[in-house]
PDB file of all heavy atoms in Angstrom:
ATOM      1  N   LYS A  98       0.811  -1.211   0.000  1.00 94.00           N
ATOM      2  CA  LYS A  98       0.000   0.000   0.000  1.00 94.00           C
ATOM      3  C   LYS A  98       0.846   1.263   0.000  1.00 94.00           C
ATOM      4  O   LYS A  98       0.310   2.372   0.157  1.00 94.00           O
ATOM      5  CB  LYS A  98      -0.927  -0.006   1.219  1.00 94.00           C
ATOM      6  CG  LYS A  98      -1.943  -1.136   1.199  1.00 94.00           C
ATOM      7  CD  LYS A  98      -2.909  -1.043   2.370  1.00 94.00           C
ATOM      8  CE  LYS A  98      -3.968  -2.126   2.289  1.00 94.00           C
ATOM      9  NZ  LYS A  98      -4.932  -2.041   3.424  1.00 94.00           N
ATOM     10  N   GLY A  99       2.150   1.105  -0.187  1.00 92.00           N
ATOM     11  CA  GLY A  99       3.046   2.244  -0.166  1.00 92.00           C
ATOM     12  C   GLY A  99       3.206   2.907  -1.524  1.00 92.00           C
ATOM     13  O   GLY A  99       2.513   2.592  -2.491  1.00 92.00           O
ATOM     14  N   THR A 100       4.193   3.833  -1.586  1.00 93.00           N
ATOM     15  CA  THR A 100       4.474   4.574  -2.823  1.00 93.00           C
ATOM     16  C   THR A 100       5.752   4.101  -3.493  1.00 93.00           C
ATOM     17  O   THR A 100       6.099   4.586  -4.573  1.00 93.00           O
ATOM     18  CB  THR A 100       4.591   6.078  -2.508  1.00 93.00           C
ATOM     19  OG1 THR A 100       5.628   6.267  -1.534  1.00 93.00           O
ATOM     20  CG2 THR A 100       3.282   6.620  -1.955  1.00 93.00           C
ATOM     21  N   GLY A 101       6.448   3.170  -2.859  1.00 92.00           N
ATOM     22  CA  GLY A 101       7.657   2.597  -3.438  1.00 92.00           C
ATOM     23  C   GLY A 101       7.621   1.086  -3.309  1.00 92.00           C
ATOM     24  O   GLY A 101       6.691   0.513  -2.735  1.00 92.00           O
ATOM     25  N   ALA A 102       8.655   0.446  -3.853  1.00 93.00           N
ATOM     26  CA  ALA A 102       8.731  -1.004  -3.763  1.00 93.00           C
ATOM     27  C   ALA A 102       8.775  -1.432  -2.298  1.00 93.00           C
ATOM     28  O   ALA A 102       9.410  -0.784  -1.460  1.00 93.00           O
ATOM     29  CB  ALA A 102       9.949  -1.519  -4.506  1.00 93.00           C
ATOM     30  N   GLY A 103       8.084  -2.532  -1.984  1.00 93.00           N
ATOM     31  CA  GLY A 103       8.020  -3.011  -0.604  1.00 93.00           C
ATOM     32  C   GLY A 103       8.561  -4.416  -0.480  1.00 93.00           C
ATOM     33  O   GLY A 103       8.310  -5.273  -1.332  1.00 93.00           O
ATOM     34  N   ALA A 104       9.301  -4.662   0.599  1.00 93.00           N
ATOM     35  CA  ALA A 104       9.898  -5.976   0.831  1.00 93.00           C
ATOM     36  C   ALA A 104       8.919  -6.904   1.532  1.00 93.00           C
ATOM     37  O   ALA A 104       8.113  -6.484   2.364  1.00 93.00           O
ATOM     38  CB  ALA A 104      11.162  -5.835   1.667  1.00 93.00           C
ATOM     39  N   VAL A 105       8.994  -8.192   1.193  1.00 96.00           N
ATOM     40  CA  VAL A 105       8.232  -9.246   1.860  1.00 96.00           C
ATOM     41  C   VAL A 105       9.238 -10.207   2.480  1.00 96.00           C
ATOM     42  O   VAL A 105      10.105 -10.743   1.783  1.00 96.00           O
ATOM     43  CB  VAL A 105       7.316 -10.000   0.875  1.00 96.00           C
ATOM     44  CG1 VAL A 105       6.615 -11.147   1.588  1.00 96.00           C
ATOM     45  CG2 VAL A 105       6.295  -9.050   0.255  1.00 96.00           C
ATOM     46  N   ASN A 106       9.111 -10.416   3.781  1.00 95.00           N
ATOM     47  CA  ASN A 106       9.998 -11.349   4.468  1.00 95.00           C
ATOM     48  C   ASN A 106       9.261 -11.871   5.697  1.00 95.00           C
ATOM     49  O   ASN A 106       9.270 -11.264   6.764  1.00 95.00           O
ATOM     50  CB  ASN A 106      11.300 -10.665   4.884  1.00 95.00           C
ATOM     51  CG  ASN A 106      12.304 -11.656   5.452  1.00 95.00           C
ATOM     52  OD1 ASN A 106      12.135 -12.877   5.346  1.00 95.00           O
ATOM     53  ND2 ASN A 106      13.376 -11.148   6.049  1.00 95.00           N
ATOM     54  N   LYS A 107       8.582 -12.994   5.518  1.00 97.00           N
ATOM     55  CA  LYS A 107       7.749 -13.547   6.579  1.00 97.00           C
ATOM     56  C   LYS A 107       7.997 -15.049   6.713  1.00 97.00           C
ATOM     57  O   LYS A 107       8.474 -15.708   5.779  1.00 97.00           O
ATOM     58  CB  LYS A 107       6.269 -13.313   6.277  1.00 97.00           C
ATOM     59  CG  LYS A 107       5.820 -11.867   6.492  1.00 97.00           C
ATOM     60  CD  LYS A 107       5.700 -11.555   7.981  1.00 97.00           C
ATOM     61  CE  LYS A 107       5.103 -10.186   8.206  1.00 97.00           C
ATOM     62  NZ  LYS A 107       4.886  -9.926   9.640  1.00 97.00           N
ATOM     63  N   VAL A 108       7.639 -15.582   7.874  1.00 98.00           N
ATOM     64  CA  VAL A 108       7.724 -17.019   8.139  1.00 98.00           C
ATOM     65  C   VAL A 108       6.343 -17.498   8.578  1.00 98.00           C
ATOM     66  O   VAL A 108       5.735 -16.910   9.487  1.00 98.00           O
ATOM     67  CB  VAL A 108       8.758 -17.335   9.238  1.00 98.00           C
ATOM     68  CG1 VAL A 108       8.688 -18.808   9.633  1.00 98.00           C
ATOM     69  CG2 VAL A 108      10.157 -16.993   8.752  1.00 98.00           C
ATOM     70  N   ASP A 109       5.852 -18.531   7.916  1.00 98.00           N
ATOM     71  CA  ASP A 109       4.573 -19.125   8.305  1.00 98.00           C
ATOM     72  C   ASP A 109       4.858 -20.351   9.161  1.00 98.00           C
ATOM     73  O   ASP A 109       5.502 -21.300   8.704  1.00 98.00           O
ATOM     74  CB  ASP A 109       3.755 -19.508   7.078  1.00 98.00           C
ATOM     75  CG  ASP A 109       2.306 -19.793   7.431  1.00 98.00           C
ATOM     76  OD1 ASP A 109       1.646 -18.872   7.947  1.00 98.00           O
ATOM     77  OD2 ASP A 109       1.827 -20.913   7.205  1.00 98.00           O
ATOM     78  N   GLN A 110       4.410 -20.296  10.390  1.00 97.00           N
ATOM     79  CA  GLN A 110       4.659 -21.374  11.346  1.00 97.00           C
ATOM     80  C   GLN A 110       3.411 -22.254  11.432  1.00 97.00           C
ATOM     81  O   GLN A 110       2.372 -21.840  11.925  1.00 97.00           O
ATOM     82  CB  GLN A 110       4.976 -20.768  12.711  1.00 97.00           C
ATOM     83  CG  GLN A 110       5.099 -21.755  13.850  1.00 97.00           C
ATOM     84  CD  GLN A 110       6.188 -22.769  13.638  1.00 97.00           C
ATOM     85  OE1 GLN A 110       5.883 -23.926  13.357  1.00 97.00           O
ATOM     86  NE2 GLN A 110       7.441 -22.356  13.774  1.00 97.00           N
ATOM     87  N   LEU A 111       3.506 -23.487  10.897  1.00 96.00           N
ATOM     88  CA  LEU A 111       2.373 -24.392  10.911  1.00 96.00           C
ATOM     89  C   LEU A 111       2.649 -25.668  11.687  1.00 96.00           C
ATOM     90  O   LEU A 111       2.017 -26.697  11.454  1.00 96.00           O
ATOM     91  CB  LEU A 111       1.905 -24.709   9.490  1.00 96.00           C
ATOM     92  CG  LEU A 111       2.854 -25.420   8.528  1.00 96.00           C
ATOM     93  CD1 LEU A 111       2.038 -26.127   7.439  1.00 96.00           C
ATOM     94  CD2 LEU A 111       3.786 -24.446   7.856  1.00 96.00           C
ATOM     95  N   GLY A 112       3.587 -25.598  12.635  1.00 95.00           N
ATOM     96  CA  GLY A 112       3.838 -26.748  13.486  1.00 95.00           C
ATOM     97  C   GLY A 112       2.618 -27.122  14.300  1.00 95.00           C
ATOM     98  O   GLY A 112       2.380 -28.296  14.593  1.00 95.00           O
ATOM     99  N   GLY A 113       1.813 -26.098  14.681  1.00 95.00           N
ATOM    100  CA  GLY A 113       0.597 -26.351  15.426  1.00 95.00           C
ATOM    101  C   GLY A 113      -0.521 -26.911  14.580  1.00 95.00           C
ATOM    102  O   GLY A 113      -1.590 -27.247  15.098  1.00 95.00           O
ATOM    103  N   VAL A 114      -0.288 -27.007  13.269  1.00 97.00           N
ATOM    104  CA  VAL A 114      -1.254 -27.612  12.351  1.00 97.00           C
ATOM    105  C   VAL A 114      -0.872 -29.061  12.073  1.00 97.00           C
ATOM    106  O   VAL A 114      -1.724 -29.965  12.087  1.00 97.00           O
ATOM    107  CB  VAL A 114      -1.328 -26.822  11.032  1.00 97.00           C
ATOM    108  CG1 VAL A 114      -2.171 -27.557  10.001  1.00 97.00           C
ATOM    109  CG2 VAL A 114      -1.879 -25.432  11.268  1.00 97.00           C
ATOM    110  N   LEU A 115       0.416 -29.283  11.839  1.00 97.00           N
ATOM    111  CA  LEU A 115       0.862 -30.587  11.358  1.00 97.00           C
ATOM    112  C   LEU A 115       0.842 -31.684  12.413  1.00 97.00           C
ATOM    113  O   LEU A 115       1.034 -32.857  12.082  1.00 97.00           O
ATOM    114  CB  LEU A 115       2.278 -30.448  10.771  1.00 97.00           C
ATOM    115  CG  LEU A 115       2.374 -29.524   9.555  1.00 97.00           C
ATOM    116  CD1 LEU A 115       3.793 -29.482   9.022  1.00 97.00           C
ATOM    117  CD2 LEU A 115       1.407 -29.960   8.461  1.00 97.00           C
ATOM    118  N   ASP A 116       0.618 -31.328  13.689  1.00 96.00           N
ATOM    119  CA  ASP A 116       0.420 -32.400  14.679  1.00 96.00           C
ATOM    120  C   ASP A 116      -0.995 -32.964  14.606  1.00 96.00           C
ATOM    121  O   ASP A 116      -1.264 -34.059  15.120  1.00 96.00           O
ATOM    122  CB  ASP A 116       0.718 -31.895  16.091  1.00 96.00           C
ATOM    123  CG  ASP A 116      -0.220 -30.777  16.525  1.00 96.00           C
ATOM    124  OD1 ASP A 116      -0.677 -30.014  15.647  1.00 96.00           O
ATOM    125  OD2 ASP A 116      -0.502 -30.659  17.733  1.00 96.00           O
ATOM    126  N   ASP A 117      -1.889 -32.227  13.936  1.00 96.00           N
ATOM    127  CA  ASP A 117      -3.278 -32.670  13.820  1.00 96.00           C
ATOM    128  C   ASP A 117      -3.714 -32.889  12.374  1.00 96.00           C
ATOM    129  O   ASP A 117      -4.817 -33.384  12.139  1.00 96.00           O
ATOM    130  CB  ASP A 117      -4.216 -31.631  14.440  1.00 96.00           C
ATOM    131  CG  ASP A 117      -3.943 -31.422  15.913  1.00 96.00           C
ATOM    132  OD1 ASP A 117      -4.302 -32.302  16.700  1.00 96.00           O
ATOM    133  OD2 ASP A 117      -3.359 -30.382  16.278  1.00 96.00           O
ATOM    134  N   ALA A 118      -2.893 -32.502  11.417  1.00 97.00           N
ATOM    135  CA  ALA A 118      -3.283 -32.577  10.009  1.00 97.00           C
ATOM    136  C   ALA A 118      -2.066 -32.903   9.151  1.00 97.00           C
ATOM    137  O   ALA A 118      -0.916 -32.761   9.580  1.00 97.00           O
ATOM    138  CB  ALA A 118      -3.917 -31.267   9.550  1.00 97.00           C
ATOM    139  N   THR A 119      -2.340 -33.315   7.924  1.00 97.00           N
ATOM    140  CA  THR A 119      -1.299 -33.666   6.961  1.00 97.00           C
ATOM    141  C   THR A 119      -1.322 -32.676   5.808  1.00 97.00           C
ATOM    142  O   THR A 119      -2.394 -32.321   5.305  1.00 97.00           O
ATOM    143  CB  THR A 119      -1.530 -35.088   6.414  1.00 97.00           C
ATOM    144  OG1 THR A 119      -1.576 -36.008   7.518  1.00 97.00           O
ATOM    145  CG2 THR A 119      -0.418 -35.499   5.464  1.00 97.00           C
ATOM    146  N   LEU A 120      -0.140 -32.244   5.383  1.00 97.00           N
ATOM    147  CA  LEU A 120      -0.037 -31.318   4.251  1.00 97.00           C
ATOM    148  C   LEU A 120      -0.343 -32.074   2.959  1.00 97.00           C
ATOM    149  O   LEU A 120       0.326 -33.048   2.636  1.00 97.00           O
ATOM    150  CB  LEU A 120       1.365 -30.720   4.198  1.00 97.00           C
ATOM    151  CG  LEU A 120       1.622 -29.649   3.135  1.00 97.00           C
ATOM    152  CD1 LEU A 120       0.830 -28.394   3.430  1.00 97.00           C
ATOM    153  CD2 LEU A 120       3.117 -29.315   3.073  1.00 97.00           C
ATOM    154  N   VAL A 121      -1.361 -31.624   2.231  1.00 97.00           N
ATOM    155  CA  VAL A 121      -1.743 -32.317   0.997  1.00 97.00           C
ATOM    156  C   VAL A 121      -1.414 -31.486  -0.245  1.00 97.00           C
ATOM    157  O   VAL A 121      -1.249 -32.028  -1.330  1.00 97.00           O
ATOM    158  CB  VAL A 121      -3.243 -32.691   1.001  1.00 97.00           C
ATOM    159  CG1 VAL A 121      -3.529 -33.722   2.063  1.00 97.00           C
ATOM    160  CG2 VAL A 121      -4.121 -31.461   1.203  1.00 97.00           C
ATOM    161  N   THR A 122      -1.312 -30.164  -0.091  1.00 97.00           N
ATOM    162  CA  THR A 122      -0.902 -29.282  -1.191  1.00 97.00           C
ATOM    163  C   THR A 122       0.134 -28.314  -0.657  1.00 97.00           C
ATOM    164  O   THR A 122      -0.151 -27.518   0.248  1.00 97.00           O
ATOM    165  CB  THR A 122      -2.092 -28.500  -1.774  1.00 97.00           C
ATOM    166  OG1 THR A 122      -3.101 -29.413  -2.201  1.00 97.00           O
ATOM    167  CG2 THR A 122      -1.649 -27.655  -2.956  1.00 97.00           C
ATOM    168  N   ALA A 123       1.357 -28.369  -1.188  1.00 97.00           N
ATOM    169  CA  ALA A 123       2.456 -27.547  -0.685  1.00 97.00           C
ATOM    170  C   ALA A 123       2.207 -26.062  -0.953  1.00 97.00           C
ATOM    171  O   ALA A 123       1.512 -25.697  -1.905  1.00 97.00           O
ATOM    172  CB  ALA A 123       3.769 -27.981  -1.333  1.00 97.00           C
ATOM    173  N   PRO A 124       2.780 -25.162  -0.128  1.00 98.00           N
ATOM    174  CA  PRO A 124       2.607 -23.725  -0.335  1.00 98.00           C
ATOM    175  C   PRO A 124       3.137 -23.283  -1.697  1.00 98.00           C
ATOM    176  O   PRO A 124       4.226 -23.692  -2.119  1.00 98.00           O
ATOM    177  CB  PRO A 124       3.428 -23.111   0.802  1.00 98.00           C
ATOM    178  CG  PRO A 124       3.516 -24.173   1.836  1.00 98.00           C
ATOM    179  CD  PRO A 124       3.552 -25.461   1.094  1.00 98.00           C
ATOM    180  N   ALA A 125       2.362 -22.451  -2.388  1.00 98.00           N
ATOM    181  CA  ALA A 125       2.738 -21.940  -3.714  1.00 98.00           C
ATOM    182  C   ALA A 125       2.303 -20.489  -3.826  1.00 98.00           C
ATOM    183  O   ALA A 125       1.250 -20.101  -3.312  1.00 98.00           O
ATOM    184  CB  ALA A 125       2.099 -22.781  -4.818  1.00 98.00           C
ATOM    185  N   ALA A 126       3.139 -19.671  -4.498  1.00 98.00           N
ATOM    186  CA  ALA A 126       2.857 -18.242  -4.657  1.00 98.00           C
ATOM    187  C   ALA A 126       2.101 -17.981  -5.949  1.00 98.00           C
ATOM    188  O   ALA A 126       2.299 -18.672  -6.956  1.00 98.00           O
ATOM    189  CB  ALA A 126       4.154 -17.444  -4.639  1.00 98.00           C
ATOM    190  N   SER A 127       1.259 -16.960  -5.932  1.00 97.00           N
ATOM    191  CA  SER A 127       0.494 -16.575  -7.116  1.00 97.00           C
ATOM    192  C   SER A 127       1.292 -15.666  -8.039  1.00 97.00           C
ATOM    193  O   SER A 127       0.871 -15.415  -9.171  1.00 97.00           O
ATOM    194  CB  SER A 127      -0.785 -15.852  -6.690  1.00 97.00           C
ATOM    195  OG  SER A 127      -0.468 -14.615  -6.042  1.00 97.00           O
TER     196      SER A 127
END
């Protein structure tokens, strides 16, 4: 939402998901 180029640098923590579920489709960017 800025006026210049913006950096993306994030970590998605899904350890609290994978103890109860199985990954069936790997993360992919649009």
Side-chain angles (χ1 to χ4, degrees):
K98 296 184 176 181
T100 58
V105 176
N106 187 12
K107 286 285 187 175
V108 172
D109 194 60
Q110 173 60 253
L111 62 157
V114 172
L115 297 182
D116 63 330
D117 299 286
T119 303
L120 184 67
V121 294
T122 303
S127 65

